Amino acid sequence: MTQKEFNDVVVSQTERCKSLLTAKGSEYAPKAAKGTSADRLAHFKKAAVVMNSTPKSALMGMLSKHLISVSDMCTDDKSFPKEQWDEKITDSINYLLILRAIVEEETHEED
C-alpha cells in the first residue's frame, strides 16, 4: 500500500466516523430543556447508573462487544464483506472517540 493509498484510507475512515457520530448525536442525546444544550454523553451516564459504575466503565462494556466482534472477524478463516468491516471498525473507533469526550468532561469537572 502506498502512502497516498494509506492516507486515503485514513481520510475516508475519519469522515465515516464523523458522519456517523454527528448523525447519531440527535438519537443519543435527549432533548434539552429550553435554553440549555443536550448532553451528548447522557446515555453513557444513564448506563453507568444502571450498572452501578462510571460512564467510562459503561462505555468499556459496550466497546468490548465491538472489539470482540472485530477480533472474531480477524481470526476467522472466512471472508467478510467490506461493509461489515466498515461497520465494526467505525463503531470501535467511535466508542474510543466518545471515551475521549468523557475523559475531557471529567477533566474539566476536576478543574
Side-chain angles (χ1 to χ4, degrees), residues 28-53:
Y28 290 112
K31 292 189 189 267
K34 189 174 181 175
T36 64
S37 297
D39 184 355
R40 180 59 173 80
L41 305 174
H43 280 199
F44 297 95
K45 293 172 184 175
K46 289 177 181 179
V49 170
V50 169
M51 297 169 64
N52 194 29
S53 66

Side-chain angles (χ1 to χ4, degrees), residues 2 26 34 101 107:
T2 67
S26 60
K34 189 174 181 175
T107 302

Side-chain angles (χ1 to χ4, degrees), residues 1-68:
M1 175 176 278
T2 67
Q3 186 65 41
K4 182 191 178 322
E5 290 169 329
F6 179 84
N7 291 347
D8 289 346
V9 168
V10 170
V11 168
S12 175
Q13 181 61 59
T14 55
E15 285 300 317
R16 189 177 302 111
C17 288
K18 181 179 175 182
S19 176
L20 188 61
L21 279 172
T22 55
K24 293 282 187 178
S26 60
E27 180 180 340
Y28 290 112
K31 292 189 189 267
K34 189 174 181 175
T36 64
S37 297
D39 184 355
R40 180 59 173 80
L41 305 174
H43 280 199
F44 297 95
K45 293 172 184 175
K46 289 177 181 179
V49 170
V50 169
M51 297 169 64
N52 194 29
S53 66
T54 66
K56 287 186 296 215
S57 181
L59 180 140
M60 195 63 217
M62 296 172 202
L63 172 59
S64 296
K65 175 180 108 35
H66 294 284
L67 294 176
I68 290 166

Side-chain angles (χ1 to χ4, degrees), residues 70-111:
V70 170
S71 175
D72 287 348
M73 289 171 67
C74 287
T75 57
D76 196 319
D77 288 337
K78 77 178 198 177
S79 182
F80 296 93
K82 183 180 181 305
E83 295 78 22
Q84 189 171 357
W85 284 107
D86 285 347
E87 176 188 351
K88 300 300 180 182
I89 291 169
T90 300
D91 286 346
S92 298
I93 292 168
N94 282 349
Y95 272 97
L96 290 172
L97 291 171
I98 295 166
L99 176 59
R100 179 66 185 95
I102 292 171
V103 169
E104 185 72 19
E105 182 177 74
E106 288 178 354
T107 302
H108 280 101
E109 289 173 354
E110 291 172 1
D111 293 341

